[in-house]
Amino acid sequence: MNVSVIYSKCWSESLGYKCCSLDIEPIFTDNDGIWGMENEQWCGIINKPSLENYCENDCCKNSNLKVSYVDNNGYWGIESESWCKINFQIKNDIKNCWSLDIGYGCCSSNNTDILYNNEDGSWGIENGQWCGIVNSMKIDENSIPKKPSYMDAENFDDPAKNCNITDSIIGDSLKQYAPFRMGVGINGSLRKTSTILSKKMVDIINHQFNSVTLTNLMKPSYLLDQNGSQKNIMKGIQDPSVNFQSAIDTLEYCKKNNMKMRGHTLVWHTQTPSWFFKKDYDDKNDYVDSEVMELRIESYIKQVMQFVQYYYPGVVDVWDVVNEAVEIDEGYYDEKVSWKTRTKCNESSNPWYETMGPDYVIKAFRFARKYAAPGVKLIYNDYNTFMSEKTTAIINLLKILKEENLIDGIGMQSYLTPTFPERSTYANAIKKFGELGIEVQITELTISIDDKLSEEEMYEKQAEQYKEVFEIYLKAYHNGINIGSVTVFGLQDGYLFYTNDSTKTRLWDKDLQKKKNYYSILEVLKEYYNKYN
């Protein structure tokens, strides 16, 4: 089989002619190049690399070199005006190029736009040629977790049914004026207490926001199925079992309402059940070894991503791959690692570190990149990212991930108080992360209140604080920092799905009326919008 696809720049396009397919014979040569004839039209011929100069090992010095040519012998690039073979240790290896079997090369980038899907896989076009997108190859449907039934807010007894929300679903909205995505956390510690099951709350979200994040219900402790995992062990299968019952309602809502969703979170030392790290998925047993744990983490990430991408393509386009893996408290991190890998949380050990060592973070991102659909962004998410020592440690980690093209952005959770951190320190951290050339996402914005003040003063000050941080975001955005999204981590104070909720940090009150902090955010967003649009 002689299968190949050209990716290098088509020199004849600037002259008004397409480039030839590979089997077209040369007819003549002029000062521009070599010409052939195809479909009764002249076409430019691109010389393919000479296999006589092919090197056995890693010929190209630049591991991130763009693919210029693909054939049955491998992937080729151009370096110092000469062909060199690219040794893909991280990028697409030719053995994974499924489309070679049916006569087409694979696209040089997994981020190529999907233009067509069929039973073989997903397809894009580069330089006028169809190419297969590697990470979108046909999925074995039997390997995807089953889709559970879902509940709809229309058929659920809404605890907010008596709230008048007219003012929140007409007129101005946050998403209308924000230059970045405006997101909101979908609260709920149980499926039946999810914000998404309130018709009134959903109506507000539809009007005001264009992104949601499940604050709890997509974490491993909710998706991992111990009973199913132990049944797999009895069958000689190490893969964990995954059940999406807790998250299915929000995924369905997003699909129906064209709402984007942040996947939160794949790997975290908290809210991951301890049995997941133990032999036979039994909490009473010892930890498994690193080899078994690596199989489990890959299988979990693969199953979660493939489920979402198969049933809800395009809905989850951002993943918090690893959460809170950096620690700066003495005695709680690995001192031999430049990015201070967390070894303990409070007085409990970090089970990821115990079973896999500090490499668990890098490996999680490798697996996530392997299974993520084209265009899906991979994020490292953490709290107190503005503390100088932690900022430096996280930057060390991000640089390592960036070398392998494993990271797209940093998630700054942003749990703030009225006085901490100093806002200049916070703004400086955003700047430092942005200077790495990655996206900055504010993922869990929450500003606490000063409860020593009167209620009126308290909410006035809170509104000023929210306005101030949004001014920081807009200034950074205007100065070229890639602020991709800002997510407030919940909709309503006195959350009506809970019996006693004392939260006072959100933008709507217990009656679903806009608070002063909502208006202060809207004011600064409108001011920016009107100035620059």
Side-chain angles (χ1 to χ4, degrees):
M1 178 176 64
N2 181 22
V3 178
S4 51
V5 172
I6 288 289
Y7 292 111
S8 46
K9 184 177 180 181
C10 179
W11 59 269
S12 58
E13 282 185 350
S14 63
L15 302 173
Y17 299 91
K18 292 182 178 180
C19 277
C20 306
S21 300
L22 294 181
D23 55 353
I24 300 300
E25 295 294 328
I27 295 179
F28 78 94
T29 302
D30 62 14
N31 290 333
D32 294 310
I34 305 172
W35 296 87
M37 181 72 72
E38 186 173 18
N39 297 326
E40 300 182 354
Q41 297 286 334
W42 288 107
C43 55
I45 294 177
I46 302 176
N47 288 330
K48 69 178 185 177
S50 169
L51 298 185
E52 295 175 1
N53 297 323
Y54 146 78
C55 55
E56 294 288 15
N57 299 312
D58 189 6
C59 180
C60 299
K61 294 178 182 178
N62 181 2
S63 61
N64 291 318
L65 195 65
K66 179 175 173 58
V67 174
S68 295
Y69 185 88
V70 180
D71 64 15
N72 285 336
N73 294 287
Y75 286 76
W76 300 81
I78 298 176
E79 208 167 48
S80 301
E81 299 184 357
S82 298
W83 288 102
C84 59
K85 189 175 182 186
I86 301 173
N87 181 14
F88 283 91
Q89 296 179 8
I90 303 303
K91 289 189 176 182
N92 304 335
D93 190 88
I94 196 164
K95 70 176 183 291
N96 292 324
C97 183
W98 55 270
S99 56
L100 282 175
D101 293 335
I102 47 179
Y104 296 87
C106 280
C107 303
S108 60
S109 170
N110 289 342
N111 292 326
T112 300
D113 289 338
I114 297 175
L115 301 179
Y116 177 68
N117 285 287
N118 64 7
E119 65 276 6
D120 298 307
S122 296
W123 298 85
I125 291 180
E126 290 185 355
N127 293 325
Q129 298 280 351
W130 284 104
C131 52
I133 301 173
V134 170
N135 280 354
S136 293
M137 69 180 71
K138 185 181 178 183
I139 297 172
D140 177 9
E141 294 184 16
N142 294 323
S143 69
I144 302 172
K146 300 303 180 187
K147 182 178 177 181
S149 59
Y150 61 90
M151 295 189 289
D152 193 296
E154 296 284 353
N155 303 313
F156 198 81
D157 186 21
D158 185 358
K161 60 189 173 186
N162 295 323
C163 295
N164 183 350
I165 62 169
T166 304
D167 185 49
S168 294
I169 59 174
I170 60 173
D172 289 340
S173 70
L174 299 175
K175 70 179 181 183
Q176 175 183 355
Y177 296 107
F180 33 69
R181 279 190 189 172
M182 275 301 305
V184 64
I186 301 298
N187 295 130
S189 57
L190 298 171
R191 181 184 183 186
K192 64 183 181 180
T193 61
S194 172
T195 305
I196 223 67
L197 294 179
S198 164
K199 175 68 168 57
K200 292 285 182 78
M201 295 182 197
V202 163
D203 286 345
I204 293 175
I205 291 169
N206 285 340
H207 186 69
Q208 297 286 343
F209 300 96
N210 47 23
S211 170
V212 299
T213 304
L214 280 168
T215 61
N216 280 302
L217 298 176
M218 211 175 199
K219 289 172 180 173
S221 58
Y222 289 89
L223 300 188
L224 283 165
D225 176 2
Q226 185 177 19
N227 185 51
S229 299
Q230 290 178 336
K231 286 181 178 178
N232 283 350
I233 289 290
M234 294 174 66
K235 299 174 186 175
I237 301 169
Q238 273 291 345
D239 299 270
S241 177
V242 178
N243 188 319
F244 269 84
Q245 191 174 59
S246 62
I248 196 71
D249 305 325
T250 304
L251 287 165
E252 284 288 331
Y253 155 76
C254 289
K255 183 178 180 180
K256 290 177 181 178
N257 292 276
N258 195 29
M259 180 72 68
K260 294 298 182 182
M261 181 178 178
R262 300 186 76 262
H264 178 75
T265 176
L266 291 171
V267 175
W268 191 24
H269 58 277
T270 302
Q271 287 187 274
T272 302
S274 57
W275 58 259
F276 181 56
F277 303 92
K278 302 295 184 69
K279 293 178 180 178
D280 299 333
Y281 295 113
D282 189 330
D283 213 9
K284 298 189 297 293
N285 293 340
D286 295 332
Y287 282 131
V288 296
D289 60 31
S290 60
E291 184 178 352
V292 172
M293 201 63 232
E294 187 169 330
L295 182 152
R296 290 183 181 183
I297 186 177
E298 178 173 11
S299 177
Y300 177 74
I301 290 173
K302 176 183 178 181
Q303 289 185 70
V304 171
M305 283 189 154
Q306 286 192 344
F307 177 93
V308 171
Q309 290 162 184
Y310 182 77
Y311 292 112
Y312 304 97
V315 168
V316 180
D317 62 354
V318 180
W319 281 98
D320 290 332
V321 178
V322 178
N323 205 42
E324 301 175 6
V326 174
E327 179 56 78
I328 58 173
D329 286 347
E330 202 70 36
Y332 287 78
Y333 63 85
D334 188 335
E335 297 179 359
K336 300 186 294 295
V337 180
S338 66
W339 46 276
K340 302 188 175 183
T341 322
R342 176 189 296 278
T343 58
K344 296 169 65 178
C345 178
N346 297 324
E347 295 308 312
S348 300
S349 64
N350 175 358
W352 289 110
Y353 183 87
E354 289 292 313
T355 53
M356 295 179 68
D359 288 346
Y360 83 88
V361 177
I362 312 295
K363 289 179 178 178
F365 273 94
R366 286 175 181 161
F367 294 137
R369 183 65 86 200
K370 179 178 179 180
Y371 297 109
V376 171
K377 295 174 183 176
L378 306 183
I379 305 294
Y380 173 73
N381 192 53
D382 213 328
Y383 65 93
N384 288 355
T385 51
F386 43 76
M387 297 179 71
S388 178
E389 187 179 355
K390 193 162 187 176
T391 302
T392 300
I394 291 172
I395 286 174
N396 290 339
L397 170 61
L398 297 176
K399 286 179 176 177
I400 293 169
L401 294 170
K402 200 165 181 284
E403 285 178 0
E404 296 187 20
N405 189 32
L406 298 177
I407 190 83
D408 298 296
I410 172 71
M412 300 179 69
Q413 292 182 9
S414 302
Y415 289 93
L416 315 177
T417 76
T419 58
F420 178 80
E422 290 187 6
R423 298 311 186 237
S424 60
T425 300
Y426 184 55
N428 190 48
I430 292 173
K431 182 173 181 287
K432 285 184 177 180
F433 289 129
E435 287 172 346
L436 294 175
I438 60 175
E439 187 170 316
V440 177
Q441 299 190 356
I442 310 302
T443 56
E444 305 178 26
L445 178 59
T446 304
I447 304 179
S448 61
I449 46 91
D450 184 351
D451 55 11
K452 296 181 180 138
L453 301 173
S454 68
E455 185 170 291
E456 183 176 353
E457 288 179 305
M458 178 176 68
Y459 289 125
E460 284 283 355
K461 289 291 185 184
Q462 184 183 62
E464 292 172 10
Q465 294 294 326
Y466 272 92
K467 180 179 180 180
E468 186 178 11
V469 296
F470 269 84
E471 287 174 339
I472 290 172
Y473 305 148
L474 291 169
K475 182 178 179 181
Y477 179 87
H478 188 67
N479 290 335
I481 302 299
N482 184 9
I483 306 286
S485 65
V486 176
T487 298
V488 292
F489 220 43
L491 185 74
Q492 179 194 35
D493 286 352
Y495 187 52
L496 290 173
F497 278 99
Y498 296 160
T499 305
N500 295 301
D501 178 39
S502 59
T503 305
K504 296 178 180 177
T505 59
R506 295 166 186 156
L507 308 190
W508 277 262
D509 67 15
K510 62 182 179 60
D511 297 315
L512 284 182
Q513 300 304 297
K514 298 172 185 173
K515 291 169 53 184
K516 291 179 180 180
N517 53 351
Y518 170 89
Y519 288 107
S520 68
I521 294 170
L522 182 65
E523 177 188 347
V524 72
L525 290 177
K526 285 182 73 172
E527 182 180 331
Y528 183 89
Y529 180 88
N530 291 331
K531 185 175 182 179
Y532 295 107
N533 289 280

